[in-house]
Amino acid sequence: MVAALELYLDTDTTRRVRTLWRALDDEGIPSLGSLHQKHRPHVSLAAAHRIDPHAVAAALGDFPVGHGLTFGIDFVGQFVGRVLWLGVTMTPELLSHHQAVHERLTAGGVEVWEHYRPGRWVPHCTISLRVPNPVMAPAIRRCLEYLPIRATVTGAAVADHANDISHPL
């Protein structure tokens, strides 16, 4: 199970990512969109096995999570375990925002996975959690057809789909 502090993206970016998810699904490549129909395109600022959404809200207070952030989604990446994603190009504003969120989460006692902490985080928009090895190259080529994307953050929430949690921030 995974819970995350997710940044949600503008309508055009969301539409483009969902179209990519459907294109992969149509080619027999399982996307995040077909996993259980609860996901929406996002970039996670923090993740853990469990995150208490009320503790996150208390830790963040009136901090405007994601408010006003824009960034490019300009490349494709792969994590070990056949995870395919679209890469977010780091900006000073995004880096600073991520740092500020984590300072507040740490001060509020909210535990997150080490690889989401400042200095280790790889900002990305997940496309698939389980691309079969024989179709990884075609999946990457398909993803590249949808880039570049200019994205704007329009909202944020703590999401834990396994436990039906979606707590807007």
Side-chain angles (χ1 to χ4, degrees), residues 18-148:
R18 286 188 187 279
T19 301
L20 172 57
W21 285 348
R22 282 190 300 276
L24 291 171
D25 289 330
D26 290 347
E27 295 173 24
I29 301 168
S31 77
L32 197 62
S34 62
L35 184 60
H36 52 58
Q37 308 298 314
K38 295 178 184 178
H39 284 287
R40 61 192 278 194
H42 67 276
V43 173
S44 295
L45 290 178
H49 287 293
R50 287 189 170 271
I51 297 176
D52 178 349
H54 302 290
V56 170
L60 293 173
D62 61 359
F63 184 76
V65 180
H67 181 73
L69 288 176
T70 60
F71 45 78
I73 300 175
D74 299 305
F75 58 98
V76 179
Q78 178 186 3
F79 291 131
V80 173
R82 305 177 314 177
V83 176
L84 182 64
W85 43 270
L86 302 180
V88 173
T89 299
M90 187 60 75
T91 65
E93 295 80 17
L94 182 58
L95 188 62
S96 173
H97 190 81
H98 182 255
Q99 178 75 36
V101 166
H102 277 267
E103 287 171 0
R104 285 165 175 77
L105 294 178
T106 299
V110 177
E111 298 279 330
V112 302
W113 287 330
E114 185 66 30
H115 57 276
Y116 276 87
R117 294 183 190 272
R120 306 233 13 231
W121 177 56
V122 177
H124 64 281
C125 178
T126 302
I127 298 302
S128 177
L129 296 174
R130 58 191 195 285
V131 177
N133 287 328
V135 295
M136 184 60 78
I140 290 170
R141 281 193 299 276
R142 177 67 68 209
C143 288
L144 289 170
E145 293 172 1
Y146 287 79
L147 300 180

